[in-house]
Amino acid sequence: METNRNLLRRNAEKRVKELKGYYSHIIIFVIVNGMLYLLKTGVLNSLLPEAFPKEPYYYDWINANILIWGVILLVHTLILFRHKFTFFKKWEERQIQKYMDEDRGKVDKYK
């Protein structure tokens, strides 16, 4: 019984660690991309050194960065909450049952 309890605790600790990593990912995403967006819109121009480029076209890559990082964050979300998406598991079970029924029909046909 104690080993089962230890296993449950380890699984819970792993889950908490995954959640902490996910929340850190969201916080870093918001802070970094928020700062980059403010830089692109020119809000932070007064804080930049003289030699720093301030032309808007110089920061066109920021939109792509936000999009790509957002997709990565979406994938992270899907991986983290995979057990909540039961559709895929139910679909898999339905497909397995369908093929088993088809095979059973073929076997019955040859008897």
Side-chain angles (χ1 to χ4, degrees), residues 16-38:
V16 168
K17 185 177 178 183
E18 288 176 351
L19 281 171
K20 282 175 57 177
Y22 176 69
Y23 294 141
S24 297
H25 190 176
I26 290 175
I27 290 170
I28 292 169
F29 173 81
V30 169
I31 291 171
V32 169
N33 288 307
M35 294 296 283
L36 287 173
Y37 190 74
L38 290 175

mmCIF file of all heavy atoms in Angstrom, residues 16-38:
data_model
loop_
_atom_site.group_PDB
_atom_site.id
_atom_site.type_symbol
_atom_site.label_atom_id
_atom_site.label_comp_id
_atom_site.label_asym_id
_atom_site.label_seq_id
_atom_site.Cartn_x
_atom_site.Cartn_y
_atom_site.Cartn_z
ATOM 1 N N VAL A 16 2.360 18.748 -10.849
ATOM 2 C CA VAL A 16 2.558 20.111 -10.341
ATOM 3 C C VAL A 16 3.762 20.755 -11.022
ATOM 4 O O VAL A 16 3.726 21.936 -11.389
ATOM 5 C CB VAL A 16 2.724 20.097 -8.799
ATOM 6 C CG1 VAL A 16 3.212 21.433 -8.284
ATOM 7 C CG2 VAL A 16 1.408 19.719 -8.143
ATOM 8 N N LYS A 17 4.818 19.985 -11.220
ATOM 9 C CA LYS A 17 6.012 20.508 -11.892
ATOM 10 C C LYS A 17 5.683 20.902 -13.334
ATOM 11 O O LYS A 17 6.128 21.944 -13.821
ATOM 12 C CB LYS A 17 7.121 19.457 -11.872
ATOM 13 C CG LYS A 17 8.424 19.934 -12.419
ATOM 14 C CD LYS A 17 9.488 18.857 -12.295
ATOM 15 C CE LYS A 17 10.794 19.336 -12.890
ATOM 16 N NZ LYS A 17 11.828 18.313 -12.851
ATOM 17 N N GLU A 18 4.891 20.072 -14.025
ATOM 18 C CA GLU A 18 4.465 20.405 -15.385
ATOM 19 C C GLU A 18 3.633 21.684 -15.415
ATOM 20 O O GLU A 18 3.806 22.525 -16.302
ATOM 21 C CB GLU A 18 3.654 19.252 -15.986
ATOM 22 C CG GLU A 18 4.457 18.037 -16.333
ATOM 23 C CD GLU A 18 3.601 16.880 -16.825
ATOM 24 O OE1 GLU A 18 2.347 16.969 -16.737
ATOM 25 O OE2 GLU A 18 4.175 15.887 -17.286
ATOM 26 N N LEU A 19 2.720 21.822 -14.464
ATOM 27 C CA LEU A 19 1.888 23.031 -14.397
ATOM 28 C C LEU A 19 2.723 24.276 -14.121
ATOM 29 O O LEU A 19 2.492 25.327 -14.719
ATOM 30 C CB LEU A 19 0.802 22.879 -13.330
ATOM 31 C CG LEU A 19 -0.418 22.062 -13.730
ATOM 32 C CD1 LEU A 19 -1.299 21.799 -12.521
ATOM 33 C CD2 LEU A 19 -1.200 22.768 -14.817
ATOM 34 N N LYS A 20 3.694 24.152 -13.210
ATOM 35 C CA LYS A 20 4.566 25.299 -12.920
ATOM 36 C C LYS A 20 5.341 25.712 -14.160
ATOM 37 O O LYS A 20 5.479 26.901 -14.456
ATOM 38 C CB LYS A 20 5.533 24.955 -11.782
ATOM 39 C CG LYS A 20 4.904 25.020 -10.406
ATOM 40 C CD LYS A 20 5.839 24.564 -9.318
ATOM 41 C CE LYS A 20 7.123 25.318 -9.254
ATOM 42 N NZ LYS A 20 7.992 24.899 -8.146
ATOM 43 N N GLY A 21 5.840 24.736 -14.904
ATOM 44 C CA GLY A 21 6.552 25.033 -16.143
ATOM 45 C C GLY A 21 5.653 25.705 -17.167
ATOM 46 O O GLY A 21 6.060 26.634 -17.862
ATOM 47 N N TYR A 22 4.420 25.246 -17.244
ATOM 48 C CA TYR A 22 3.460 25.824 -18.181
ATOM 49 C C TYR A 22 3.133 27.271 -17.811
ATOM 50 O O TYR A 22 3.123 28.155 -18.670
ATOM 51 C CB TYR A 22 2.190 24.973 -18.199
ATOM 52 C CG TYR A 22 1.097 25.525 -19.062
ATOM 53 C CD1 TYR A 22 1.216 25.540 -20.438
ATOM 54 C CD2 TYR A 22 -0.069 26.032 -18.494
ATOM 55 C CE1 TYR A 22 0.201 26.042 -21.240
ATOM 56 C CE2 TYR A 22 -1.084 26.523 -19.282
ATOM 57 C CZ TYR A 22 -0.940 26.523 -20.654
ATOM 58 O OH TYR A 22 -1.951 27.033 -21.431
ATOM 59 N N TYR A 23 2.872 27.504 -16.535
ATOM 60 C CA TYR A 23 2.566 28.872 -16.100
ATOM 61 C C TYR A 23 3.769 29.794 -16.299
ATOM 62 O O TYR A 23 3.614 30.958 -16.674
ATOM 63 C CB TYR A 23 2.091 28.894 -14.648
ATOM 64 C CG TYR A 23 0.767 28.204 -14.448
ATOM 65 C CD1 TYR A 23 0.518 27.432 -13.327
ATOM 66 C CD2 TYR A 23 -0.254 28.309 -15.385
ATOM 67 C CE1 TYR A 23 -0.696 26.792 -13.138
ATOM 68 C CE2 TYR A 23 -1.472 27.676 -15.216
ATOM 69 C CZ TYR A 23 -1.682 26.920 -14.090
ATOM 70 O OH TYR A 23 -2.884 26.287 -13.913
ATOM 71 N N SER A 24 4.968 29.284 -16.070
ATOM 72 C CA SER A 24 6.176 30.073 -16.340
ATOM 73 C C SER A 24 6.265 30.408 -17.822
ATOM 74 O O SER A 24 6.631 31.533 -18.198
ATOM 75 C CB SER A 24 7.419 29.308 -15.910
ATOM 76 O OG SER A 24 7.419 29.074 -14.533
ATOM 77 N N HIS A 25 5.945 29.447 -18.659
ATOM 78 C CA HIS A 25 5.963 29.664 -20.106
ATOM 79 C C HIS A 25 5.001 30.781 -20.500
ATOM 80 O O HIS A 25 5.343 31.662 -21.303
ATOM 81 C CB HIS A 25 5.588 28.355 -20.800
ATOM 82 C CG HIS A 25 5.804 28.357 -22.281
ATOM 83 N ND1 HIS A 25 5.590 27.249 -23.048
ATOM 84 C CD2 HIS A 25 6.192 29.313 -23.153
ATOM 85 C CE1 HIS A 25 5.843 27.534 -24.316
ATOM 86 N NE2 HIS A 25 6.201 28.785 -24.403
ATOM 87 N N ILE A 26 3.812 30.774 -19.926
ATOM 88 C CA ILE A 26 2.825 31.820 -20.231
ATOM 89 C C ILE A 26 3.320 33.190 -19.767
ATOM 90 O O ILE A 26 3.224 34.173 -20.503
ATOM 91 C CB ILE A 26 1.460 31.491 -19.586
ATOM 92 C CG1 ILE A 26 0.827 30.297 -20.280
ATOM 93 C CG2 ILE A 26 0.529 32.689 -19.638
ATOM 94 C CD1 ILE A 26 -0.457 29.819 -19.650
ATOM 95 N N ILE A 27 3.858 33.251 -18.564
ATOM 96 C CA ILE A 27 4.344 34.530 -18.025
ATOM 97 C C ILE A 27 5.473 35.085 -18.882
ATOM 98 O O ILE A 27 5.482 36.275 -19.231
ATOM 99 C CB ILE A 27 4.770 34.365 -16.551
ATOM 100 C CG1 ILE A 27 3.533 34.133 -15.687
ATOM 101 C CG2 ILE A 27 5.564 35.558 -16.069
ATOM 102 C CD1 ILE A 27 3.829 33.710 -14.266
ATOM 103 N N ILE A 28 6.432 34.237 -19.244
ATOM 104 C CA ILE A 28 7.540 34.686 -20.081
ATOM 105 C C ILE A 28 7.036 35.122 -21.451
ATOM 106 O O ILE A 28 7.482 36.143 -21.996
ATOM 107 C CB ILE A 28 8.608 33.581 -20.190
ATOM 108 C CG1 ILE A 28 9.274 33.382 -18.834
ATOM 109 C CG2 ILE A 28 9.641 33.907 -21.255
ATOM 110 C CD1 ILE A 28 10.145 32.148 -18.737
ATOM 111 N N PHE A 29 6.090 34.367 -22.010
ATOM 112 C CA PHE A 29 5.500 34.731 -23.309
ATOM 113 C C PHE A 29 4.886 36.123 -23.248
ATOM 114 O O PHE A 29 5.123 36.957 -24.129
ATOM 115 C CB PHE A 29 4.442 33.696 -23.694
ATOM 116 C CG PHE A 29 3.663 34.044 -24.925
ATOM 117 C CD1 PHE A 29 4.177 33.797 -26.186
ATOM 118 C CD2 PHE A 29 2.398 34.613 -24.834
ATOM 119 C CE1 PHE A 29 3.455 34.104 -27.328
ATOM 120 C CE2 PHE A 29 1.669 34.929 -25.960
ATOM 121 C CZ PHE A 29 2.198 34.678 -27.215
ATOM 122 N N VAL A 30 4.095 36.384 -22.232
ATOM 123 C CA VAL A 30 3.415 37.680 -22.120
ATOM 124 C C VAL A 30 4.419 38.815 -21.911
ATOM 125 O O VAL A 30 4.329 39.862 -22.570
ATOM 126 C CB VAL A 30 2.368 37.645 -20.981
ATOM 127 C CG1 VAL A 30 1.838 39.027 -20.670
ATOM 128 C CG2 VAL A 30 1.228 36.706 -21.342
ATOM 129 N N ILE A 31 5.387 38.614 -21.036
ATOM 130 C CA ILE A 31 6.351 39.678 -20.745
ATOM 131 C C ILE A 31 7.222 39.985 -21.957
ATOM 132 O O ILE A 31 7.339 41.140 -22.382
ATOM 133 C CB ILE A 31 7.214 39.312 -19.515
ATOM 134 C CG1 ILE A 31 6.358 39.340 -18.252
ATOM 135 C CG2 ILE A 31 8.402 40.251 -19.388
ATOM 136 C CD1 ILE A 31 7.043 38.797 -17.019
ATOM 137 N N VAL A 32 7.838 38.958 -22.531
ATOM 138 C CA VAL A 32 8.763 39.175 -23.647
ATOM 139 C C VAL A 32 8.027 39.730 -24.860
ATOM 140 O O VAL A 32 8.449 40.735 -25.447
ATOM 141 C CB VAL A 32 9.511 37.862 -24.004
ATOM 142 C CG1 VAL A 32 10.268 37.998 -25.313
ATOM 143 C CG2 VAL A 32 10.447 37.471 -22.883
ATOM 144 N N ASN A 33 6.922 39.099 -25.234
ATOM 145 C CA ASN A 33 6.215 39.569 -26.424
ATOM 146 C C ASN A 33 5.508 40.895 -26.188
ATOM 147 O O ASN A 33 5.350 41.682 -27.115
ATOM 148 C CB ASN A 33 5.257 38.494 -26.935
ATOM 149 C CG ASN A 33 6.019 37.356 -27.574
ATOM 150 O OD1 ASN A 33 6.832 37.576 -28.462
ATOM 151 N ND2 ASN A 33 5.790 36.152 -27.100
ATOM 152 N N GLY A 34 5.106 41.149 -24.947
ATOM 153 C CA GLY A 34 4.553 42.466 -24.622
ATOM 154 C C GLY A 34 5.593 43.566 -24.792
ATOM 155 O O GLY A 34 5.316 44.615 -25.381
ATOM 156 N N MET A 35 6.793 43.313 -24.304
ATOM 157 C CA MET A 35 7.883 44.297 -24.460
ATOM 158 C C MET A 35 8.235 44.480 -25.938
ATOM 159 O O MET A 35 8.448 45.609 -26.401
ATOM 160 C CB MET A 35 9.113 43.848 -23.671
ATOM 161 C CG MET A 35 8.913 43.832 -22.174
ATOM 162 S SD MET A 35 8.614 45.456 -21.489
ATOM 163 C CE MET A 35 10.246 46.116 -21.511
ATOM 164 N N LEU A 36 8.309 43.387 -26.677
ATOM 165 C CA LEU A 36 8.619 43.494 -28.103
ATOM 166 C C LEU A 36 7.535 44.264 -28.844
ATOM 167 O O LEU A 36 7.836 45.084 -29.725
ATOM 168 C CB LEU A 36 8.786 42.092 -28.715
ATOM 169 C CG LEU A 36 10.050 41.337 -28.344
ATOM 170 C CD1 LEU A 36 10.003 39.914 -28.880
ATOM 171 C CD2 LEU A 36 11.287 42.069 -28.851
ATOM 172 N N TYR A 37 6.290 44.032 -28.490
ATOM 173 C CA TYR A 37 5.202 44.744 -29.149
ATOM 174 C C TYR A 37 5.247 46.237 -28.812
ATOM 175 O O TYR A 37 5.028 47.080 -29.684
ATOM 176 C CB TYR A 37 3.851 44.143 -28.757
ATOM 177 C CG TYR A 37 2.725 44.668 -29.585
ATOM 178 C CD1 TYR A 37 2.554 44.249 -30.899
ATOM 179 C CD2 TYR A 37 1.834 45.614 -29.081
ATOM 180 C CE1 TYR A 37 1.525 44.736 -31.682
ATOM 181 C CE2 TYR A 37 0.810 46.117 -29.852
ATOM 182 C CZ TYR A 37 0.663 45.674 -31.150
ATOM 183 O OH TYR A 37 -0.346 46.178 -31.927
ATOM 184 N N LEU A 38 5.538 46.545 -27.555
ATOM 185 C CA LEU A 38 5.679 47.964 -27.188
ATOM 186 C C LEU A 38 6.854 48.601 -27.923
ATOM 187 O O LEU A 38 6.785 49.769 -28.322
ATOM 188 C CB LEU A 38 5.865 48.096 -25.670
ATOM 189 C CG LEU A 38 4.642 47.781 -24.815
ATOM 190 C CD1 LEU A 38 4.998 47.836 -23.339
ATOM 191 C CD2 LEU A 38 3.500 48.726 -25.143
#
